[in-house]
Amino acid sequence: MSRRNAGARLDTALGWGAAPGPVAFAARVLLYLVLVAVFSGPLIALLVSAFGPVTDPTRLTLIPRGLTLDNFAAAIDRDVLRYLANSFIVVGCGLLLQILVSVSAAYALARKRFPGLQLVMLLILSTLMLPEEILAIPLSLVLADVPILHVNLIGTLAGMIVPVGAWAFSILVMTEFMKEIPAELEEAARLDGAGDLRIFWSVVLPLCRPALGVIGIFGFTMIWDQYMLPLLVADDAAQFTLPLALRTLRSDDQVGLGVLLAAALLALLPSVLAFLALQRQFMRGLTSGAIKG
């Protein structure tokens, strides 16, 4: 095999890019159809079943029949809109707080040098290794009596917002991204008389938009999918977020599967819309490390 042909066969994962003929074409089409069916099939079944009657929970269909909004009407009667509003409040305030904490902590860790820097990074990294089940009881005790302030956040949406304000993943992503920003830009700004706050706001932060897209999408998904935290904090059904309410709806024998799927579709859409809104920054953030240097 010549070098040119060998390089061509490496253009695709299986070397099919250089394989002519109807057999190779049919194999590629079949593989693509299988992948599409595996990844999009459950989503299509969810979409169709949410807008149609579900008579047999073991046989979800991909073909829409008798489309109706009755499932959504029944879900609204079950206060799904209130749970959805609670989720939006928690994710909106929590994500804003998380981004503020992440960029501030990352600027200090990436652009400053102080004793114990490595220890601080190790402590932040160690929080990623603790499962939620281990933190559940200590977290509930802290929220019941917040140190220094001595405020009880149990039974409030604030109790679901404050714990997600600092996430080690977002801090580490922002820290590594800020480390790649040339120090010459910061030095030039200091020569112009800019202070730390002005450098952070006008020089460093605008260059971190790709990383902000990454932590924005992952942070939104992490907060939106929270189940353990609302379960610990909420002491009334009026404080439930949508993921927690889905579990309640599932355990209610009077709620049909179609209503549950309609509520699940409402829980899925915000994450999809958030990714579509930030996908450009997200892709730039994922690929920026590959093109540096």
Side-chain angles (χ1 to χ4, degrees), residues 89-105:
I89 294 174
V90 172
V91 76
C93 298
L95 184 59
L96 179 60
L97 179 61
Q98 186 179 111
I99 291 176
L100 290 175
V101 171
S102 299
V103 297
S104 302

Side-chain angles (χ1 to χ4, degrees), residues 139-157:
L139 181 60
S140 61
L141 295 176
V142 170
L143 292 177
D145 185 13
V146 179
I148 301 177
L149 299 178
H150 298 290
V151 177
N152 182 13
L153 296 181
I154 298 296
T156 65
L157 294 182

Side-chain angles (χ1 to χ4, degrees), residues 18-72:
V23 176
F25 177 77
R28 287 198 299 269
V29 172
L30 179 61
L31 177 61
Y32 297 154
L33 291 177
V34 170
L35 291 176
V36 170
V38 169
F39 288 102
S40 65
L43 297 179
I44 297 176
L46 171 62
L47 183 63
V48 171
S49 301
F51 285 95
V54 181
T55 57
D56 187 354
T58 63
R59 294 182 179 180
L60 297 181
T61 179
L62 300 179
I63 303 175
R65 295 176 180 175
L67 297 181
T68 178
L69 296 177
D70 292 343
N71 292 332
F72 291 92

